[in-house]
Amino acid sequence: MISEELKKIIKEGNDFLVSSHINPDGDAIGGILSIGWLLNKLRKKFIIVVDSTPSEKFKYLTDFKKIVSYSETLKIDFTIKNLLTVDVPNLERLEKVNKLLPKGIKVVNIDHHESNSNFGDINFIDLRACSCTEMVYELINSFGMSLDKDVAEYIYTGLVIDTGRFRFSSTTPRAFEVAAKLSEAGARISFIAEWLYHTNSMETLKGLGVLLDSLDMNMNGRIAFVHFDNEYLKSEEGSKMDTEGFVNYPLSIENVEVAAFLQETEKGRVKVSLRSKNNNINVNNIAAIFGGGGHAKASGCRIKGTIADAKKLLLQEIRKKLT
Ligand code: 5GP
């Protein structure tokens, strides 16, 4: 349900900073672009800023280039009065974008994570929504606007990414209803599938080979780890690959219940993606032990230490849940 309070701030407010989490995925990017589309239709002043450079995988989205990557020298030519976040469970996940926030601004929080801390002045949280873009779709509908091809593709991208191509258990009848409307509005269903899932750069495919070589099976094949060390991520080839979806390869192994994809983004700092195929193993709870979060079947966190340290710590916690 879209609250009157949410509609009011969007209708009457101005000077919005729209943002999402660091390393935005397709739902985050689709979400901020569709909010941008709505604010543009309502002739609002706004800017979209995220920490880190969005993946080029999403460059087919019309306003992709309007997403600004945070930098220390970034100048915004208006005073921010409202912050609107999409797919952000807590404000820390905005990382450096926090530096842009003046005191006393209104915060609107649109999200579907069970770990959301309700940090907004207005919180639009729907744990049943399969993607945040589905929620933005409902918001746009509540304004009675008709969709064009651009916004249909922003919303559809979030749906496809967060449902794993309408495959995850989060895929509801509503997801299909919304997808049908987006197709009617001109979203290029076949092009998006072909581009997102059947088109890879040479570096991405080679990276996948390196990743699969690192496969490390534990607990009689119930837990699978894969990783990239810092040297590979910083290498000519490694720095050009797109790792979206890589965690699904170890998860796809028969009998694997939990998969973890570890990336040593800096020396002594490991970014972890966790996935579960077992309805009784909630990886959000495992990520939370390390200060992370996400969903029951897909979560993430960061661990200080080497890849070996991170694996050891994760294994201890996952083992406890599996036994
Ligand atoms: P991914 O593994 O694709 O990066 O993220 C899976 C899910 O976990 C997403 O919903 C993402 O927002 C969440 N997530 C990933 N890393 C973190 C983290 O460090 N902290 C929190 N709170 N959530 C995370």
Side-chain angles (χ1 to χ4, degrees), residues 218-224 255-259 276-278 280-282 286 314-323:
N218 292 273
M219 272 194 89
N220 294 324
R222 296 172 73 192
I223 308 173
N255 299 326
V256 163
E257 294 170 49
V258 177
S276 164
K277 267 194 321 209
N278 176 335
N280 298 318
I281 307 291
N282 181 330
I286 298 172
L314 286 165
L315 197 55
Q316 262 170 15
E317 297 305 330
I318 303 169
R319 199 188 290 275
K320 277 188 218 160
K321 308 273 181 209
L322 282 176
T323 46

Side-chain angles (χ1 to χ4, degrees), residues 18-263:
V18 180
S19 190
S20 191
H21 56 81
I22 188 165
N23 303 318
D25 57 10
D27 189 31
I29 291 174
I32 52 184
L33 287 177
S34 45
I35 285 288
W37 181 92
L38 173 64
L39 294 176
N40 195 38
K41 290 276 173 214
L42 294 170
R43 302 189 182 285
K44 302 291 174 180
K45 214 185 281 177
F46 70 96
I47 183 167
I48 305 177
V49 188
V50 289
D51 193 342
S52 61
T53 311
S55 164
E56 287 283 311
K57 197 78 194 157
F58 302 106
K59 66 182 180 189
Y60 63 90
L61 298 170
T62 304
D63 278 347
F64 178 75
K65 289 235 148 46
K66 295 197 180 148
I67 302 175
V68 178
S69 301
Y70 174 85
S71 78
E72 295 291 337
T73 54
L74 174 65
K75 292 268 176 295
I76 299 178
D77 62 2
F78 61 88
T79 306
I80 299 159
K81 297 205 184 73
N82 297 289
L83 168 69
L84 205 156
T85 64
V86 186
D87 206 33
V88 175
N90 56 62
L91 280 179
E92 290 75 58
R93 291 280 287 153
L94 296 182
E95 298 274 344
K96 294 201 219 55
V97 173
N98 276 297
K99 296 188 187 180
L100 299 171
L101 305 179
K103 287 224 160 59
I105 52 168
K106 279 254 181 223
V107 178
V108 180
N109 165 16
I110 299 178
D111 191 25
H112 67 148
H113 287 96
E114 64 180 63
S115 58
N116 194 288
S117 65
N118 283 300
F119 57 83
D121 298 295
I122 298 171
N123 297 292
F124 174 28
I125 312 292
D126 184 354
L127 303 188
R128 286 164 312 170
C130 66
S131 68
C132 281
T133 59
E134 182 190 320
M135 299 171 68
V136 181
Y137 171 84
E138 307 296 355
L139 179 63
I140 291 173
N141 258 352
S142 76
F143 281 89
M145 289 178 183
S146 49
L147 306 176
D148 62 19
K149 171 228 159 227
D150 292 348
V151 73
E153 292 193 348
Y154 303 155
I155 297 169
Y156 186 72
T157 296
L159 274 184
V160 171
I161 292 288
D162 262 26
T163 60
R165 300 176 245 184
F166 302 96
R167 184 167 60 86
F168 298 157
S169 52
S170 56
T171 312
T172 56
R174 181 70 183 148
F176 288 106
E177 282 166 12
V178 174
K181 296 284 179 209
L182 301 173
S183 174
E184 276 166 20
R188 293 167 295 168
I189 308 298
S190 165
F191 163 78
I192 292 174
E194 188 64 28
W195 173 253
L196 286 181
Y197 298 105
H198 299 282
T199 312
N200 288 303
S201 68
M202 185 265 294
E203 289 83 4
T204 298
L205 222 58
K206 281 197 167 180
L208 181 58
V210 173
L211 188 78
L212 296 182
D213 251 359
S214 75
L215 186 64
D216 172 14
M217 304 295 289
N218 292 273
M219 272 194 89
N220 294 324
R222 296 172 73 192
I223 308 173
F225 288 125
V226 286
H227 76 268
F228 285 127
D229 60 25
N230 188 255
E231 282 73 28
Y232 190 73
L233 289 175
K234 291 266 172 319
S235 68
E236 173 76 17
E237 243 167 52
S239 59
K240 289 195 188 132
M241 68 184 165
D242 179 356
T243 61
E244 174 86 34
F246 275 12
V247 66
N248 295 318
Y249 287 93
L251 190 70
S252 71
I253 299 169
E254 199 179 355
N255 299 326
V256 163
E257 294 170 49
V258 177
F261 169 30
L262 294 83
Q263 302 183 76

